[in-house]
């Protein structure tokens, strides 16, 4: 089911939470909305869900208009055929797992035999076969999240919505559930909108990511494109560690201090901002390079982070190496930066 947002706005009195948002989410796509607190991502999800009416604009599911305040058309949440997974599991503690799943099916007046078959099939799909008679307090956090997911998909919705669903789980379980959600979404082929503040979660799980700031969509693309070619310093920093260097374009070359980092077709510009990811910088890996001095290092298990003063730049950069690549480096180093690693903001 394709979802289309056309010039969507959401206002609370004088405050604009979402401003002129245009977005199309493809059929079967898992789309992530990410951004800092208060950026408008949850407000956008609530408008798609029907929990909040847009102030202006239109929302369509396929060709069906489900929200158009100008035309006084708002389709109620119950009629939008949605499944939603919340940050809190929102399970009824006095009901068994099977009874939690059955509530929505009974409301739709399905035959008892069909309800039982659907519940069994859905629990098997999320890896909880045989646990229908248990109560939520008898399950782990990850299992409770699976129940919440099962409750959403047992209704066979057109669209699946996720509101920070993994924030209550510990780090290792969060990664496991993240992968399970992605695998399940691909298996059933449903369109999903996933809101999170966790950048690694968004990069790992999505087909595309939309980065929001102050109610606006700043950039929307695949995770790889956003990470490697951010449109501005905010996106660069929000999606991962980034070296942001002040430079200039001089005689067709990108310069930082006395160092030439890349060639460019642009005309001379007195000031530009460059972005270089720390893992793209190599230490002691080439005969040609810049003069660096390691001023500090931090062992992070899988990686080692270095603070390196580069003489030609007149500033420090952050460099990241694989933790298993070599012994921790010290002292003077050759700093090598491939031209394709340099991104002009």
């Amino acid at each position: 089911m394709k979802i289309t947002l056309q010039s969507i706005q959401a206002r609370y009195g004088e405050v604009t939470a979402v401003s002129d948002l245009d977005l199309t989410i493809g059929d079967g796509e898992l789309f992530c909305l990410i951004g800092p607190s208060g950026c408008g991502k949850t407000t956008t999800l609530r408008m798609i869900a029907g929990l909040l009416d847009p102030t202006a604009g239109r929302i369509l599911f396929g060709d069906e208009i489900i929200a158009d305040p100008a035309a006084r058309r708002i389709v109620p949440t119950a009629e939008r055929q949605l499944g939603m997974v919340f940050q809190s599991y929102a399970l009824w503690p006095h009901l068994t797992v099977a009874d939690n799943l059955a509530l929505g099916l009974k409301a739709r007046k399905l035959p008892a035999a069909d309800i039982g078959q659907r519940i069994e099939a859905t629990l098997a799909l999320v890896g909880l076969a045989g646990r229908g008679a248990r109560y939520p307090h008898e399950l782990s956090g990850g299992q409770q999240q699976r129940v919440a997911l099962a409750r959403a998909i047992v209704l066979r919705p057109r669209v699946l919505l996720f509101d920070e669903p993994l924030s209550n789980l510990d780090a290792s379980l969060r990664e496991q559930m993240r992968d399970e959600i992605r695998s399940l979404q691909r298996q059933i082929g449903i369109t999903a909108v996933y809101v999170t503040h966790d950048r690694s979660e968004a990069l790992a799980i999505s087909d595309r990511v939309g980065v929001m700031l102050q109610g606006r969509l700043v950039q929307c693309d695949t995770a790889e494109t956003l990470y490697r070619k951010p449109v501005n310093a905010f996106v660069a920093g929000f999606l991962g560690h980034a070296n942001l260097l002040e430079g200039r374009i001089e005689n067709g070359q990108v310069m930082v201090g006395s160092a030439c980092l890349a060639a460019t077709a642009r005309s001379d510009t007195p000031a530009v901002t460059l972005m270089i990811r720390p893992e793209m910088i190599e230490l002691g890996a080439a005969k040609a390079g810049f003069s660096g001095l390691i001023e500090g290092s931090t062992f992070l298990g899988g990686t080692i982070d270095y603070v390196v003063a580069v003489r030609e730049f007149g500033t420090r950069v952050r460099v990241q190496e694989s933790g298993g690549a070599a012994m921790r480096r010290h002292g003077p180093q050759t700093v090598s930066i491939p031209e394709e690693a340099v991104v002009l903001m």
Side-chain angles (χ1 to χ4, degrees), residues 16 31 110 129 153 247 249 311 322 329:
T16 301
F31 186 90
L110 267 66
I153 63 177
I249 297 178
R311 186 181 64 192
S322 169
R329 301 178 189 273

Side-chain angles (χ1 to χ4, degrees), residues 6 10 37 42 64 66 72 74 79 94 97 122 126 128 154 159 171 178 188 217 267 270 312 331 335 345:
Q6 299 175 341
S37 297
T42 299
E64 177 191 359
I66 62 166
R72 296 186 178 180
I74 301 291
E79 297 177 17
H94 65 290
V97 168
T122 305
V126 298
L128 291 176
V154 75
V159 174
R178 176 194 75 192
I188 62 180
L217 193 63
S267 59
E312 290 87 346
V335 177
M345 294 288 95

Side-chain angles (χ1 to χ4, degrees), residues 65-234:
I65 299 173
I66 62 166
D68 185 353
R72 296 186 178 180
R73 174 172 173 78
I74 301 291
V75 175
T77 299
E79 297 177 17
R80 296 190 183 190
Q81 300 179 44
L82 301 165
M84 193 159 184
V85 182
F86 298 93
Q87 178 177 349
S88 61
Y89 311 129
L91 302 176
W92 292 103
H94 65 290
L95 297 179
T96 65
V97 168
D99 288 339
N100 267 279
L101 268 64
L103 284 175
L105 300 174
K106 289 178 179 178
R108 295 186 179 185
K109 303 188 186 319
L110 267 66
D114 290 350
I115 290 176
Q117 290 175 359
R118 272 211 206 180
I119 291 173
E120 289 181 13
T122 305
L123 288 178
L125 193 62
V126 298
L128 291 176
R131 292 180 171 84
R134 295 192 182 183
Y135 287 88
H137 71 270
E138 298 176 316
L139 303 175
S140 67
Q143 289 173 330
Q144 289 184 54
Q145 190 57 276
R146 288 190 183 94
V147 175
L149 179 58
R151 183 182 54 189
I153 63 177
V154 75
L155 299 173
R156 296 177 183 171
R158 297 188 293 179
V159 174
L160 197 54
L161 305 178
F162 294 90
D163 185 12
E164 308 241 19
L166 307 182
S167 58
N168 287 337
L169 303 178
D170 61 57
S172 59
L173 188 54
R174 193 158 57 237
E175 289 187 12
Q176 178 185 340
M177 283 302 301
R178 176 194 75 192
D179 295 340
E180 290 184 10
I181 287 173
R182 181 52 167 156
S183 176
L184 181 62
Q185 184 269 338
R186 283 176 171 166
Q187 184 177 345
I188 62 180
I190 192 171
T191 303
V193 185
Y194 193 108
V195 164
T196 181
H197 64 275
D198 188 317
R199 64 193 183 199
S200 60
E201 197 173 300
L203 295 177
I205 204 171
S206 62
D207 291 305
R208 287 189 302 147
V209 180
V211 183
M212 295 190 70
L213 179 65
Q214 298 178 346
R216 296 184 180 275
L217 193 63
V218 180
Q219 188 175 3
C220 177
D221 216 312
T222 64
E224 184 173 354
T225 298
L226 287 178
Y227 185 79
R228 299 193 183 283
K229 297 182 180 180
V231 295
N232 59 28
F234 166 74

Side-chain angles (χ1 to χ4, degrees), residues 298-306 320-328:
T298 305
F299 180 73
L300 299 174
T303 59
I304 301 175
D305 275 14
Y306 297 98
Q320 194 172 76
E321 279 192 328
S322 169
M327 295 293 291
R328 197 181 306 197

Side-chain angles (χ1 to χ4, degrees), residues 12 17 22 48 62 110 116 133 138 171 173 209 243 247 262 278 295 299 342-343:
Y12 301 98
D22 290 297
I48 294 172
L110 267 66
E138 298 176 316
L173 188 54
V209 180
N243 292 299
E295 295 186 343
F299 180 73
V342 180
V343 180

